[in-house]
Amino acid sequence: MRKLTVLAVVVAIAISAACTKPAGTLEAAEDTLGAATVKSIEYSGTGKWFQFGQAPNPTLPWPPFDVSSFKAAINYEVPSARIEMVRKQTLEAPRVRPAPAEARPIQVVSGTYAWNLAAPAGAAPGAAPVANAQPAAVEERTMEIWVTPHGFLKAARANAATSEAASGGSTVSFTAGGKKYVGTINAQNQVDKVQTWMDTPVLGDTLVETVYSDYKDFGGVTFPAHIVRTQGGHPVLDITVSEVKLNPAVDLPVPDQVKNFTPPAVQVNVQKLADGVYQMTGANAHTVAIDQSDHIVVVEGPANEARSLAVIAKIKETIPNKPIRYVINSHVHFDHSGGLRTYVDEGATVVTHQMNQPYFEQAWAAPRTLNPDRLAQSKKAAKFETVTDKHVLADSKRNIEIYSIAGSGHNDAFLMIYLPKEKILIEGDAFTPGAADAPPPAVPNPYTVNLYENIQRLKLDVRQIAAIHGPRVATMADLRAAIGVKADTN
Ligand SMILES: [Zn+2]
C-alpha cells in the first residue's frame, strides 16, 4: 500500500512537471512570454532619455530630454536592432540653457557592425539619410538586444544560464560575448530586471540596469508597458510603451561604407599659441600643454586613455625632459574628464573645482575589471588641488590663473584658465567658436553670454581664446560677435 502511495506521488509530480513549470523559473518565463515564438519585435512609445556623463554638477542625475517618439525594432536571429528617437532637451528652470534643438538619432547594429543614420549636413528636409560607421558602439547596442525581456530569455537559453531561487522567482545569470548578464524573473514569470556591466572611462565597470514593469498583452505578445534603464546610478532611459508588434520584418543590411570603414589613426596636431604654450588638437576635444620652469601643466584630459596616451607622447616630444606635474580639469562632463586618470598615473595632481574632488574620488574607486587602465594597474593615489573662486599655479616662467565660471547654466563646478602674460583664455563648452566664415548664431548662446560676463567681472584682458572644442583659436572679437555685443560697450 505504502509503495503504491509513493508511486502515485512520484507519478503526480512527474505529470505536474510535464504540464506546468514551477513559477518564477527561466522555463516558466519562456512559456509566459512566448520566447520560442518571438523571432523579432518592434515596440514604440514616449518618455525620457538622459545624457550619460553630462550632469549639470556632480551631485545631480544625467540631464533629461523629452522623447516624443521612440521606436525599437529588433531581429533576435541576426542579431540586429534599429532604435529611432525624436528628442529635445527638457528645460528645467531656473537653469538657463540654449533653446533646445530637436534631434532625430537613428542607431543601428547588425552582427559586428554599428552605424548611425543621419541626414547629410545642410541637406534639404526629407533627404535620404547617410550611414556613419560607429564601431565603438557595437558592444553597447548588442547589449541592448540581450537585455530586452525576450532577448534575455533567448540569450540565457543559448548560453547555459544558471538559476538560483530568489524571492518567489529566480536570479538567472550567464555570460554572452564576454559580457555578464544577471536577470531576475518574478513569481508572475516575467523578466523584471536585467543587469550588465560595461567599461566607461570615468566610472570603470559601469552597471547598466534595465527594469521592466506593467506587463500587458499587446495583441498576442506579453511585453512590459514601462521600461526604465539606469547607467552609472542614474536613469538614461524611461519609456512608456504604447504599441508592440510581434515578428515584424526587421531587415537591416549593413551598408557598404560601414563594412569598408577603417577607423582613422589617432592624430595629435600641435598648434603653438605662444612661446611655451601649445594646443594639442586632432580629436573632438583639445588639450593645452604649458611649459613651466621645471615641469609641464596640462589643461584638460578629455575622452579616454587612448587619447591621453597619444597626447602625452606628443607633449613629451614637444616639451622634452619635464614631468607633467598638473592636469587642470574644466568640469566633470565625461568628454572633458575621461582621460584624466592617465595623467594621474603619470604623477600629475588634478586641479579641479572643489565640488568635483569627491565625485572623482568615488568614481575612480570603482572596480575596473572589464578594461583595466594604467591607473588601475599602478594603483597610484590621485592627488587634488581644488578651486572655489580663484587658484594660481605660480611659476617663474608664468602664473596660471584658474577661475570659477560663476552662474553658468552649463555646469555649476566649471573652471576657465587664464594666462596673464600671454593673455590667453582656455575654456570648454562656454564658447565653442564656429568656422571662421560661419555667421554668428541667430540667438546668442546663454553659456557664451555668461562667459563674457565672467571675463568682464574679472577684468581679464584676453587676446586669444583656446576653446577645448571647435575648429580654431578665437579672439574676443569672435566672442563678442557670437553674442551680438559691440566692442565699444566693453
Ligand atoms: Zn560640458
Side-chain angles (χ1 to χ4, degrees), residues 14 144 176 209 256 376 424:
E144 289 174 358
E209 181 175 280
D256 283 344
I424 293 172

Side-chain angles (χ1 to χ4, degrees), residues 169-479:
S170 54
T171 302
V172 175
S173 312
F174 61 89
T175 300
K179 196 178 255 310
K180 188 180 172 192
Y181 294 83
V182 179
T184 51
I185 291 169
N186 61 25
Q188 290 75 48
N189 309 329
Q190 298 157 343
V191 178
D192 65 10
K193 183 168 80 181
V194 179
Q195 297 178 317
T196 186
W197 291 261
M198 58 183 283
D199 172 60
T200 64
V202 174
L203 303 180
D205 296 359
T206 306
L207 173 63
V208 181
E209 181 175 280
T210 311
V211 173
Y212 300 104
S213 58
D214 304 341
Y215 273 85
K216 280 190 209 166
D217 178 50
F218 285 91
V221 58
T222 302
F223 200 78
H226 193 195
I227 300 174
V228 177
R229 177 171 300 148
T230 58
Q231 184 172 322
H234 300 296
V236 287
L237 191 68
D238 185 335
I239 296 295
T240 299
V241 176
S242 52
E243 195 184 354
V244 182
K245 290 180 189 160
L246 175 62
N247 294 329
V250 178
D251 186 20
L252 301 166
V254 183
D256 283 344
Q257 69 266 38
V258 173
K259 271 187 197 151
N260 300 331
F261 176 76
T262 314
V266 176
Q267 199 182 336
V268 184
N269 305 318
V270 183
Q271 186 175 0
K272 185 174 168 180
L273 303 178
D275 283 343
V277 184
Y278 307 91
Q279 190 183 38
M280 307 288 171
T281 64
N284 169 53
H286 316 314
T287 291
V288 174
I290 306 167
D291 182 6
Q292 298 292 60
S293 54
D294 64 352
H295 64 275
I296 301 165
V297 176
V298 166
V299 181
E300 212 76 316
N304 51 37
E305 180 145 282
R307 184 69 197 159
S308 288
L309 289 173
V311 170
I312 289 169
K314 187 60 87 176
I315 290 173
K316 289 182 171 175
E317 187 186 307
T318 310
I319 311 169
N321 305 318
K322 285 183 185 175
I324 298 171
R325 193 166 293 162
Y326 296 99
V327 59
I328 305 171
N329 162 249
S330 67
H331 62 308
V332 163
H333 287 176
F334 290 0
D335 55 327
H336 292 258
S337 65
L340 282 177
R341 286 172 53 92
T342 318
Y343 291 91
V344 173
D345 182 64
E346 279 284 312
T349 294
V350 177
V351 182
T352 189
H353 192 283
Q354 188 184 41
M355 207 176 186
N356 300 332
Q357 180 181 347
Y359 182 80
F360 283 130
E361 284 177 331
Q362 194 190 348
W364 293 351
R368 283 176 191 261
T369 60
L370 298 172
N371 183 21
D373 60 7
R374 292 195 170 198
L375 190 60
Q377 291 163 49
S378 73
K379 298 184 168 65
K380 288 181 188 166
K383 293 168 286 180
F384 288 89
E385 268 183 40
T386 60
V387 183
T388 47
D389 297 326
K390 181 181 181 181
H391 186 73
V392 178
L393 295 178
D395 188 76
S396 59
K397 275 212 176 174
R398 70 175 68 66
N399 284 355
I400 299 173
E401 299 178 357
I402 305 159
Y403 294 98
S404 165
I405 306 179
S408 175
H410 187 72
N411 203 273
D412 304 329
F414 199 21
L415 302 180
M416 62 181 175
I417 295 85
Y418 179 62
L419 308 182
K421 188 172 146 193
E422 291 84 4
K423 303 187 194 305
I424 293 172
L425 183 78
I426 308 163
E427 58 75 34
D429 293 355
F431 172 45
T432 298
D437 55 354
V443 180
N445 182 319
Y447 306 160
T448 310
V449 174
N450 167 268
L451 174 68
Y452 183 70
E453 289 165 358
N454 274 277
I455 293 169
Q456 299 283 91
R457 171 177 66 85
L458 297 164
K459 298 184 169 57
L460 305 181
D461 180 8
V462 176
R463 300 287 164 84
Q464 293 185 78
I465 301 172
I468 299 297
H469 300 295
R472 67 191 172 100
V473 176
T475 61
M476 276 307 282
D478 295 321
L479 174 55

